[in-house]
Amino acid sequence: MSHIALSASPSLVAFHRGAKQWSTLFPSNWRSSGTNPSLFANSNRKRLQLRFFASGKNGGNGGVVDEISETVKAHANFVWPDNKKPRVCILGGGFGGLYTALRLESLEWSEDNKPQIALVDQSDRFVFKPMLYELLSGEVDEWEIAPRFSDLLANTGVQFLKDRVKVLQPSDHLGVNGSNASTHGGTVHLESGLHIEYDWLVLALGAEAKLDVVPGATEFAIPFSTLEDARKVNNRLTILERKTFGKDYQISVAIVGCGYSGVELAATVAERLQNRGIVRAINVDTMICPTAPPGNREAALKVLSSRKVELLLGYFVNCIRKASESESSNTPKGLDFEKYILELQPAERGMQSKIIEADLVLWTVGSKPPLPHLEYSDVPFVIPLNARGQAETDETLRVKGHPRIFSLGDSSALRDSNGRILPATAQVAFQQADFTGWNLWAAINGRPLLPFRFQNLGEMMTLGRNDAAISPSFVDGLTLEGPVGHAARKIAYLMRLPTDEHRLKVGISWFTKSAIDSVSLLQSTLSKVLSGSTSRSD
């Protein structure tokens, strides 16, 4: 799911379908509201950098057209092309947000009711997070699992804004609802100073890693939930591999957490390092993937054991700190990278505390939705949140007390029939996006909304370049593992990529890579056979 920390700089990037919309989306003199005197929430004068990406004559390729830097004294309102049509603002471009936008585009609308859609996200790329691990193994290219929003939305009417959400200011709880097409449902304040007035709001902000629960984790551990995280981990592994190449040194990687993410990461990193490193996976529970089907857990244990991953189960991390020179005395001369110490405490009696050393610490436990931070300091936050910071919704995915706000994915606290909050998985967000799109259509057209019912289709996990485990829910006790599971998982994820055009491009790319690998394997096999035959004849 997508982070709310949408951009580190106050830049606004807008993508749209045609050049004709520039005059309405960004007029020559910015429109301002007399009730909001500042472009930025703190009313300070700041330089706003605008980088425009046009889509060209045919809905284009997102090429850079111009870059403008100017001093802005007053805030700017986002200008919708047509104020008479419903205005839908979607916050977050992950599975929940992007797929809701695409679902809305695919539905049949009357000309008067077809909504205008603005999608806001921190990045200019959609990230297919279940396949981030394949970036570390080199199995996929970045464009395949992280396509640009400009490409995905080129043939749609969805307008994309790269920005950071700063404040939510809903008004649909004040009893001012009028006609569905024109009622002002509230305002979203972006970090760049842009204000978006909306009729309907979709919260699909995802969650960010929660590192502040353990001293030192924020400073020394790297989470693994975004494209930037994957790049950082890959770069760090590459540096370690280069510096230790040809030396008698084992790269040490510590992974905190043995849920699905931690186990997939441990299997992938261990396969990459092979005999050049050791991977230790730490978990407070005494088993890995405690919520996984038994078949998946057993397949994972078999793979981790074969790759000599050390499992430290029943331990929690007490603190992470930088190792002193005396503590890292086993480092060969010439290796100047930092090392870290993890102090582990047993979760149960009868176990001894442990101290382990690592060259790289990866964090896969805990997350926090950003909703609690999106409020004015002097105005009470009116969106109902649970203790974890998720929005409380009814069964139609509408936020309780807010008929014009929908929430899904990590931002939602929807419960299943047993009263348990639905897990924060791509599968849940994918299904919720379909319902959110439909229920927005129903709400705009005055039709009854459908209650969401999650259908568990099974669980999948990657365990390396040619290894995976799949337990489909429709066949009790069946687990596909090894190369068969790996192929089935890739096909399943290929079918869930966001657009037909992107699926086709990725499918061709994967088929080509598979064919090349097969030819290489065949050549290698034939070479060995011929070499063996020659040896016997001699």
Side-chain angles (χ1 to χ4, degrees):
M1 311 310 109
S2 159
H3 284 233
I4 184 59
L6 299 177
S7 177
S9 63
S11 61
L12 165 67
V13 181
F15 295 97
H16 63 92
R17 182 168 54 180
K20 294 180 180 179
Q21 296 178 353
W22 283 115
S23 60
T24 55
L25 183 58
F26 294 105
S28 57
N29 37 344
W30 291 72
R31 300 182 185 181
S32 61
S33 168
T35 57
N36 294 285
S38 174
L39 175 58
F40 290 85
N42 61 7
S43 300
N44 291 332
R45 294 176 59 177
K46 295 188 178 180
R47 295 186 65 81
L48 172 65
Q49 291 186 351
L50 304 178
R51 183 170 295 173
F52 296 95
F53 288 76
S55 52
K57 294 181 180 179
N58 299 317
N61 57 9
V64 177
V65 173
D66 196 6
E67 183 171 315
I68 301 173
S69 180
E70 62 182 41
T71 300
V72 182
K73 298 178 182 179
H75 86 262
N77 283 343
F78 177 78
V79 181
W80 296 91
D82 188 343
N83 281 330
K84 294 182 179 179
K85 292 184 178 181
R87 303 165 299 179
V88 178
C89 181
I90 301 175
L91 303 181
F95 280 99
L98 175 64
Y99 285 60
T100 294
L102 295 175
R103 175 61 168 154
L104 283 170
E105 279 284 302
S106 70
L107 296 171
E108 293 292 331
W109 298 90
S110 66
E111 186 60 31
D112 293 337
N113 271 352
K114 184 171 184 179
Q116 306 159 95
I117 305 169
L119 177 66
V120 182
D121 195 86
Q122 66 172 343
S123 172
D124 60 354
R125 294 176 181 269
F126 162 74
V127 181
F128 200 94
K129 290 189 176 183
M131 299 196 75
L132 278 177
Y133 311 95
E134 278 83 341
L135 285 179
L136 299 184
S137 65
E139 190 175 349
V140 302
D141 295 322
E142 191 172 289
W143 70 267
E144 295 171 341
I145 64 163
R148 295 184 184 277
F149 285 110
S150 57
D151 296 329
L152 297 176
L153 301 175
N155 298 316
T156 73
V158 179
Q159 300 178 71
F160 173 68
L161 292 88
K162 180 184 176 183
D163 213 325
R164 174 175 179 170
V165 182
K166 196 167 186 179
V167 174
L168 296 182
Q169 192 175 11
S171 59
D172 59 345
H173 63 295
L174 301 176
V176 295
N177 291 22
S179 76
N180 287 342
S182 61
T183 297
H184 170 57
T187 305
V188 173
H189 300 242
L190 304 181
E191 188 179 68
S192 66
L194 195 66
H195 292 183
I196 304 178
E197 290 187 355
Y198 63 83
D199 299 317
W200 304 90
L201 182 67
V202 177
L203 301 176
L205 299 169
E208 56 190 17
K210 191 175 183 179
L211 294 169
D212 55 1
V213 292
V214 171
T218 303
E219 295 84 359
F220 306 124
I222 303 176
F224 196 83
S225 61
T226 68
L227 179 61
E228 290 71 24
D229 293 337
R231 289 169 175 167
K232 189 180 296 185
V233 172
N234 185 60
N235 290 340
R236 186 64 187 276
L237 283 172
T238 300
I239 291 171
L240 289 170
E241 288 165 337
R242 287 174 179 172
K243 288 189 174 183
T244 59
F245 181 76
K247 295 182 172 64
D248 183 19
Y249 182 80
Q250 292 279 297
I251 299 170
S252 176
V253 179
I255 298 174
V256 182
C258 289
Y260 266 112
S261 181
V263 168
E264 289 175 299
L265 197 53
T268 302
V269 173
E271 181 184 50
R272 173 169 168 165
L273 294 178
Q274 296 183 6
N275 60 353
R276 293 172 297 165
I278 181 170
V279 176
R280 296 182 177 90
I282 306 156
N283 201 42
V284 69
D285 206 309
T286 54
M287 69 169 63
I288 66 169
C289 302
T291 62
N296 278 15
R297 189 184 307 116
E298 291 168 8
L301 283 170
K302 184 164 48 175
V303 168
L304 294 178
S305 176
S306 68
R307 294 179 189 161
K308 299 180 180 179
V309 174
E310 184 180 345
L311 296 176
L312 300 173
L313 305 179
Y315 287 93
F316 64 89
V317 179
N318 192 45
C319 78
I320 305 172
R321 56 184 173 82
K322 192 182 297 185
S324 63
E325 291 185 7
S326 60
E327 289 175 310
S328 56
S329 57
N330 61 332
T331 305
K333 292 183 178 180
L335 300 183
D336 56 352
F337 48 80
E338 294 180 341
K339 301 181 74 66
Y340 307 100
I341 299 296
L342 289 81
E343 297 181 3
L344 309 184
Q345 295 293 327
E348 299 179 356
R349 291 182 178 179
M351 301 171 64
Q352 298 295 319
S353 301
K354 288 182 179 291
I355 294 179
I356 65 173
E357 187 180 87
D359 302 308
L360 177 62
V361 182
L362 306 180
W363 191 273
T364 69
V365 293
S367 62
K368 53 183 179 181
L371 286 175
H373 307 291
L374 304 181
E375 58 179 314
Y376 283 118
S377 59
D378 56 346
V379 178
F381 204 41
V382 295
I383 293 179
L385 304 177
N386 65 0
R388 296 176 58 188
Q390 298 167 305
E392 294 281 1
T393 64
D394 62 23
E395 60 182 2
T396 67
L397 299 173
R398 284 196 298 191
V399 175
K400 292 179 180 179
H402 290 269
R404 291 182 172 272
I405 302 179
F406 290 81
S407 186
L408 68 159
D410 295 351
S411 296
S412 171
L414 185 65
R415 300 177 183 275
D416 61 19
S417 57
N418 297 319
R420 295 182 296 232
I421 294 179
L422 291 173
T425 63
Q427 182 180 182
V428 171
F430 183 86
Q431 294 184 29
Q432 287 181 335
D434 190 56
F435 271 78
T436 301
W438 173 263
N439 281 343
L440 273 166
W441 180 93
I444 291 171
N445 289 285
R447 303 290 184 85
L449 276 62
L450 296 177
F452 174 73
R453 295 290 183 268
F454 174 58
Q455 299 293 322
N456 187 2
L457 303 178
E459 299 186 23
M460 303 187 290
M461 63 191 309
T462 182
L463 296 169
R465 283 188 65 92
N466 291 295
D467 216 330
I470 300 180
S471 294
S473 61
F474 46 85
V475 183
D476 215 18
L478 174 65
T479 299
L480 302 176
E481 54 184 291
V484 174
H486 177 266
R489 177 178 174 273
K490 287 195 76 171
I491 292 172
Y493 280 153
L494 178 65
M495 299 305 295
R496 289 198 173 186
L497 291 176
T499 65
D500 292 338
E501 183 180 3
H502 189 62
R503 276 192 290 272
L504 178 60
K505 290 179 180 178
V506 173
I508 293 173
S509 177
W510 287 357
F511 177 79
T512 303
K513 291 175 184 176
S514 178
I516 293 173
D517 289 343
S518 297
V519 171
S520 298
L521 179 62
L522 179 60
Q523 289 177 336
S524 176
T525 302
L526 289 175
S527 176
K528 290 179 180 178
V529 171
L530 292 175
S531 176
S533 299
T534 303
S535 299
R536 286 193 296 271
S537 63
D538 290 344

